[in-house]
Amino acid sequence: MAMSLARTKDFMVEVAEELKKVTWPDFAQLKSATIVILIFCAIVAIIIKIMDFFAAGVVGGIVKIFAS
């Protein structure tokens, strides 16, 4: 148990040291990156919606063929 606590403490110390080395973005960089990500997500959502629309049409057509 004591070994586990010591390892956990060492890990947390190392994490804190690494976080000090991180270059954090300023607000302008954060804002522009967030906008890019939101636009990308919107484009992907639109593409998925279009694919779903066509897939639903194909499946609906197949069901109509076999339901008649």
Side-chain angles (χ1 to χ4, degrees), residues 1 8 10 13 15 20 22 27-28 31 34-35 41 45 48 56 59 65:
M1 181 75 171
T8 302
D10 290 342
V13 168
V15 167
K20 291 177 187 174
V22 173
F27 183 73
K31 183 177 160 184
T34 301
I35 290 170
C41 288
I48 291 173
V59 170
I65 291 171

Side-chain angles (χ1 to χ4, degrees), residues 14-24:
E14 289 175 20
V15 167
E17 289 172 3
E18 289 298 320
L19 283 174
K20 291 177 187 174
K21 297 177 187 176
V22 173
T23 303
W24 297 100

Side-chain angles (χ1 to χ4, degrees), residues 28-53:
Q29 291 172 327
L30 182 65
K31 183 177 160 184
S32 68
T34 301
I35 290 170
V36 168
I37 291 169
L38 290 174
I39 291 170
F40 176 77
C41 288
I43 291 170
V44 170
I46 290 167
I47 291 170
I48 291 173
K49 180 63 180 171
I50 291 169
M51 291 169 61
D52 180 56
F53 176 76

